Amino acid sequence: MSSTLAPTLAPPFPITARWIISRRMDLIWFIGAALAGYGMFFLHAGLGWDMVTVWFFWVVLIDSPHFFGTISRTFLDREEFRERRTMLLGSLLWYLAGPAVLLLGYGMYHAGVPAYDLPWKVFLALFSLWAYWHVVRQHYGFLRLYQRKNDDVAPLDFRVDGALLYGGLLLPYIAFILRHPDTRVQLGLDEVWAGWPAAGVGAWGWDQWAVAGLTALLALTVATFLVRQVVRVRQGIPVNVPKMLFLLAVVPLHVYVCLSPAVLTTGILGFTVFVTIFHDFQYHAIVWFHHKNRYHKPGVDQSRFGWAPKLSKNLGVYFGCALFFALLVRLFGCSFEVHPGCGPFVLTSDTPLFGSFHTDALLKAFLLGFALQHYFVDQFIWKPSKSKALQADLKLKEG
């Protein structure tokens, strides 16, 4: 009896599957890490854990260390620092943004303006919006990398894919703001979201109409994307598998978290964990990939780069430095009552500053500078289209 090899089943349509690092690494860190967001959400919605405690461990062990990734490839990279000296030194002014807002409030207070706390409230609101936008922009960056790696560069697909990414993350977020009790109070709405009145019972408020409109626009955006994929397949255009998997990971996560009724029962800190932990894991992985290619390829003269190669000579040294940085920042913060998570050594909220403000507000204003400076710098250092060196460090010219 003769033996034959079983034929290999080919997909019914052409595909491309070129990855940023490798299939395994991408599926774990750039795509599969979305599961961490669902996992954090389950700790709240399924197990009822205290999300303030979860937030503290997340911010120390995962989130704050990723700030060190930016520092290591800018201020600690001699060549990068020399090339971007003006921008990097100027970025340090962000540490003064919060104190400057408080100084404005101080002046308004002594001028007898009743709403002297308004600049601070606006500052905190803008900070939160920029934090979320920072996450959205990183996800868009990964989308563009998968497009570029797989020669998926048609202008129409740039627009349709971008609309799904931005619409899938921003529209649910606006709906979340209109529904969550903490943000509703800031908007002057009733604290409790009324939900959807039964047919013929009661009139809808503008916030309910807005959430309904946002949901409908989201559905239209998803439908447009799906129709475009059908057209592509019929035209014989290869399906970009990594891009599709990435979008399937990131968009449903944000839609599910933002529109879930359970998210309304956690604070803003909990929400921050749910939508940011995916971003954190992506960032850690792409920075490590960058460092390996830039500083540790065979034949590279590491002396050109200063401290960066030394602090990234292996994963243990790199993450140890990142964790040490995070511990310094966060333990200082909670020790002086700036944020929750550990017992304060100094009750800064007992020391008056002016009006209703106390010393903890001034310390918080300064500590927010770490995040603000990170958001600002990241806008400039991850643009492969403007840097041939970054293209090489991310291996974008390889298949």
Side-chain angles (χ1 to χ4, degrees):
M1 182 177 180
S2 61
S3 61
T4 59
L5 294 176
T8 301
L9 294 178
F13 41 77
I15 67 171
T16 59
R18 290 189 286 273
W19 308 89
I20 299 171
I21 300 179
S22 67
R23 181 175 64 180
R24 178 174 178 272
M25 293 297 291
D26 283 32
L27 289 176
I28 292 174
W29 297 108
F30 300 151
I31 297 170
L35 295 175
Y38 291 108
M40 293 295 103
F41 191 75
F42 178 73
L43 294 183
H44 162 68
L47 301 180
W49 283 25
D50 175 17
M51 290 311 299
V52 172
T53 301
V54 172
W55 174 87
F56 178 73
F57 281 100
W58 160 78
V59 84
V60 171
L61 299 178
I62 301 174
D63 185 61
S64 296
H66 97 280
F67 293 172
F68 180 79
T70 300
I71 295 171
S72 67
R73 63 151 301 198
T74 53
F75 288 93
L76 300 180
D77 181 323
R78 184 184 297 146
E79 285 196 353
E80 189 79 6
F81 181 76
R82 182 167 56 244
E83 181 179 341
R84 303 182 185 270
R85 178 187 298 270
T86 301
M87 183 273 290
L88 291 173
L89 292 179
S91 72
L92 298 177
L93 293 174
W94 283 105
Y95 287 93
L96 302 179
V101 171
L102 285 179
L103 183 61
L104 174 61
Y106 176 79
M108 294 171 64
Y109 172 74
H110 281 282
V113 179
Y116 64 88
D117 60 343
L118 182 60
W120 179 246
K121 291 179 179 179
V122 171
F123 172 72
L124 293 181
L126 293 176
F127 171 82
S128 297
L129 292 173
W130 197 3
Y132 190 81
W133 178 246
H134 173 70
V135 171
V136 173
R137 285 294 296 172
Q138 176 176 294
H139 287 313
Y140 180 73
F142 276 97
L143 172 65
R144 292 299 300 267
L145 287 177
Y146 282 128
Q147 290 171 330
R148 182 166 183 161
K149 284 290 258 185
N150 290 273
D151 297 322
D152 186 1
V153 294
L156 177 58
D157 289 300
F158 273 4
R159 291 192 291 271
V160 172
D161 296 348
L164 178 63
L165 191 285
Y166 283 124
L169 274 58
L170 293 177
L171 296 174
Y173 180 61
I174 299 172
F176 164 80
I177 291 174
L178 292 173
R179 293 165 56 246
H180 195 276
D182 292 348
T183 49
R184 286 179 64 83
V185 170
Q186 299 300 319
L187 293 172
L189 299 169
D190 293 336
E191 182 176 0
V192 178
W193 161 252
W196 306 109
V201 180
W204 282 24
W206 72 265
D207 54 328
Q208 292 165 313
W209 281 111
V211 172
L214 291 165
T215 305
L217 186 56
L218 173 63
L220 178 62
T221 303
V222 173
T224 301
F225 175 81
L226 293 177
V227 168
R228 173 57 185 164
Q229 305 320 302
V230 172
V231 171
R232 281 170 56 101
V233 169
R234 289 183 173 180
Q235 292 178 344
I237 301 174
V239 174
N240 184 342
V241 173
K243 179 189 77 175
M244 297 296 288
L245 291 176
F246 173 71
L247 289 171
L248 188 61
V250 66
V251 173
L253 171 64
H254 284 253
V255 172
Y256 176 73
V257 168
C258 290
L259 299 183
S260 169
V263 79
L264 305 182
T265 60
T266 189
I268 297 299
L269 291 182
F271 174 77
T272 302
V273 178
F274 307 150
V275 298
T276 308
I277 192 169
F278 183 18
H279 155 90
D280 292 330
F281 283 130
Q282 288 177 332
Y283 200 87
H284 284 304
I286 197 70
V287 167
W288 184 246
F289 180 60
H290 168 275
H291 285 14
K292 285 174 58 181
N293 296 327
R294 181 171 176 84
Y295 308 130
H296 302 288
K297 285 191 303 187
V300 169
D301 179 10
Q302 295 184 348
S303 64
R304 295 163 40 203
F305 303 110
W307 278 96
K310 299 180 179 66
L311 299 182
S312 62
K313 65 180 180 180
N314 59 57
L315 190 57
V317 170
Y318 171 78
F319 193 74
C321 294
L323 186 58
F324 178 72
F325 166 82
L327 286 170
L328 284 179
V329 174
R330 295 304 176 180
L331 291 181
F332 173 85
C334 64
S335 296
F336 286 86
E337 212 179 4
V338 176
H339 57 237
C342 66
F345 293 121
V346 179
L347 297 178
T348 54
S349 63
D350 287 344
T351 305
L353 196 60
F354 66 91
S356 61
F357 289 96
H358 295 77
T359 309
D360 60 318
L362 181 59
L363 292 172
K364 181 177 183 178
F366 173 75
L367 286 178
L368 288 178
F370 283 98
L372 292 170
Q373 192 257 354
H374 170 74
Y375 303 156
F376 178 78
V377 170
D378 256 22
Q379 296 177 126
F380 298 96
I381 64 174
W382 293 107
K383 293 187 174 181
S385 61
K386 296 184 178 181
S387 171
K388 291 184 178 180
L390 184 58
Q391 291 176 22
D393 295 337
L394 297 180
K395 295 187 174 181
L396 293 181
K397 296 183 178 180
E398 300 179 14

